[in-house]
Amino acid sequence: MKEKEELNIRQEREKKLAFLTTACVEYLDEDHLFYQMFEYDKEGKDLSMVNEDTQNAYEQYKVNFSSLCQELCEVGLKEYDKRLDEINLYNIGVNEGKNISQNQGRMIVNEVLQTKAVTLVNIKQLLKKLVEDIDAATLEDITQKAQQLSQEFNNIVTETWTKLMTIEVDLHEQIQDINEIFRINISDMIESFLTTARGYFSQLRNCEAEYNDTINGLILYYLSGFGEDQKLPRHLLNLCEDKEMLNYNLNNSHERHLQVIDAREDSMVNRLRNWLKEYNEELSRQEIERNNQQVLEIAHFADSQQEEFLYLLQQLNISDPEVILALETT
């Protein structure tokens, strides 16, 4: 039972981390970034433990720093929800345009198929007269009518190709326009959030600078309590034996902390901008691919209808060479 509970807890943590990572605010919901600053900063840890005052300053620093991280995390999650809403609106708009175009295209295709069936019936009715003994004038009249019907169907196929291509061109332009509007909106959202995020990271750096100054003052005050005949505790000799050594260690610690903060900021900025670039490029690629495929399908439909029409004519067992030639040359 205990193992199952631990598994559930671990899975929930992994699920939460994956969600926060998608929003680019992973580990900002707790004090992970704070401890990350001290992970490879032994001197900084030791300086925070010099006395009770430095320990209190450290704890207060952790509270202030982690509070800013959590605020940034909450803002990031709200902005992520806004981006999802924008993506949802985009998908609704694109799908609506596609559905309208598909319905228009389906109606046009059905009309062609119905016309083809009617045309074949009419030609078949004309050709039945060829079985009878007919004079040259009647044969010519039947041939012209059959040729006219065949030509009308070919014209309809050509007109259908034009109509379908017009619908596709309109849809393609519409989706391109929607893509551009989406690109502008989502770019504005990301840049707005990054501006806010930079403000928080700036506050984190200020928080770090204030802590550094506080620790410096507290330790200098602590050191001032030692007289000439008093020795500094051995564990502090390499940390703050004098002001110069203290400044050296504090500056190194401060720089390490700033590097961690800067790296986290750069990671957020780069990942969001890369996501934006890749997402928009993928939308553009998908639309180009869809458009190319649709153009090919329209061309294939027109060609196949004409080929099928000729094939069906051949199945009518037309024996008169003049009629065959007339139908094949339409």
Side-chain angles (χ1 to χ4, degrees):
M1 187 69 178
K2 184 179 179 181
E3 292 181 355
K4 185 177 180 180
E5 290 179 355
E6 291 177 349
L7 177 61
N8 290 335
I9 292 173
R10 186 167 64 252
Q11 289 177 340
E12 284 299 317
R13 286 178 178 172
E14 292 174 353
K15 183 179 178 180
K16 181 180 180 182
L17 177 59
F19 173 68
L20 293 175
T21 300
T22 303
C24 295
V25 292
E26 70 278 8
Y27 299 121
L28 292 177
D29 58 321
E30 298 176 351
D31 46 20
H32 175 86
L33 187 61
F34 178 82
Y35 286 119
Q36 189 179 354
M37 291 190 299
F38 290 90
E39 186 175 1
Y40 300 105
D41 182 19
K42 182 179 182 304
E43 290 77 11
K45 290 179 184 176
D46 292 341
L47 287 171
S48 70
M49 300 296 293
V50 168
N51 60 17
E52 185 176 349
D53 289 337
T54 59
Q55 292 176 29
N56 290 337
Y58 172 86
E59 291 300 325
Q60 187 59 50
Y61 176 40
K62 182 173 72 171
V63 170
N64 295 340
F65 190 94
S66 299
S67 177
L68 287 171
C69 288
Q70 290 167 8
E71 285 182 24
L72 175 56
C73 181
E74 291 175 4
V75 172
L77 290 176
K78 289 179 181 178
E79 290 298 318
Y80 177 65
D81 286 339
K82 289 181 182 179
R83 294 196 295 274
L84 289 182
D85 289 341
E86 186 67 22
I87 291 172
N88 186 50
L89 287 174
Y90 166 84
N91 288 331
I92 290 174
V94 170
N95 290 334
E96 186 176 292
K98 288 180 180 178
N99 289 335
I100 292 174
S101 296
Q102 287 174 357
N103 290 335
Q104 291 174 339
R106 191 176 295 112
M107 291 176 60
I108 293 172
V109 167
N110 289 338
E111 288 177 4
V112 172
L113 297 178
Q114 292 173 5
T115 300
K116 180 177 66 176
V118 172
T119 302
L120 285 171
V121 170
N122 291 336
I123 291 177
K124 192 172 183 180
Q125 292 295 328
L126 283 172
L127 297 179
K128 284 182 178 179
K129 298 179 181 180
L130 295 177
V131 179
E132 308 168 2
D133 291 331
I134 56 176
D135 55 29
T138 303
L139 175 60
E140 182 179 357
D141 182 60
I142 292 174
T143 302
Q144 288 179 352
K145 288 181 179 179
Q147 184 180 19
Q148 181 181 354
L149 289 171
S150 181
Q151 183 62 53
E152 287 175 356
F153 177 75
N154 285 333
N155 291 340
I156 289 173
V157 170
T158 301
E159 291 174 3
T160 298
W161 177 89
T162 302
K163 290 179 181 178
L164 293 176
M165 283 299 299
T166 299
I167 292 173
E168 175 54 30
V169 169
D170 289 344
L171 175 62
H172 181 56
E173 291 178 350
Q174 178 185 351
I175 292 179
Q176 285 184 316
D177 290 341
I178 294 175
N179 283 354
E180 181 60 17
I181 294 171
F182 173 80
R183 184 192 66 78
I184 293 172
N185 290 345
I186 206 75
S187 297
D188 289 345
M189 286 182 178
I190 292 224
E191 287 306 317
S192 176
F193 169 60
L194 289 180
T195 298
T196 302
R198 288 192 191 95
Y200 275 98
F201 282 110
S202 179
Q203 292 183 64
L204 291 176
R205 282 187 282 269
N206 291 338
C207 196
E208 159 60 26
E210 291 173 4
Y211 168 74
N212 190 265
D213 290 341
T214 300
I215 288 293
N216 182 51
L218 290 173
I219 294 179
L220 286 176
Y221 180 77
Y222 171 74
L223 294 177
S224 68
F226 287 87
E228 293 182 0
D229 57 340
Q230 290 179 301
K231 291 185 178 180
L232 196 67
R234 183 180 298 275
H235 69 281
L236 297 179
L237 289 177
N238 293 328
L239 279 176
C240 50
E241 184 176 7
D242 52 42
K243 186 175 181 180
E244 183 178 344
M245 182 175 291
L246 174 62
N247 286 336
Y248 175 79
N249 286 322
L250 278 176
N251 286 335
N252 283 344
S253 176
H254 182 56
E255 288 301 319
R256 289 193 187 98
H257 295 182
L258 291 180
Q259 287 173 5
V260 171
I261 296 171
D262 292 346
R264 185 63 183 86
E265 180 179 11
D266 291 342
S267 172
M268 177 180 287
V269 171
N270 292 333
R271 284 167 55 196
L272 278 171
R273 285 182 172 167
N274 287 339
W275 172 85
L276 176 65
K277 179 175 178 292
E278 292 170 3
Y279 196 88
N280 283 314
E281 287 178 349
E282 179 62 15
L283 290 180
S284 178
R285 185 198 65 78
Q286 289 179 0
E287 172 52 22
I288 291 173
E289 186 176 292
R290 185 206 64 80
N291 175 247
N292 290 339
Q293 181 62 32
Q294 196 65 20
V295 169
L296 290 175
E297 289 181 4
I298 292 172
H300 175 72
F301 172 77
D303 292 341
S304 65
Q305 289 306 304
Q306 290 176 328
E307 291 172 2
E308 183 180 351
F309 185 77
L310 289 175
Y311 173 77
L312 292 174
L313 287 177
Q314 293 171 2
Q315 304 306 306
L316 295 177
N317 296 320
I318 305 171
S319 57
D320 193 290
E322 292 185 25
V323 177
I324 295 175
L325 179 61
L327 292 177
E328 288 182 347
T329 55
T330 55

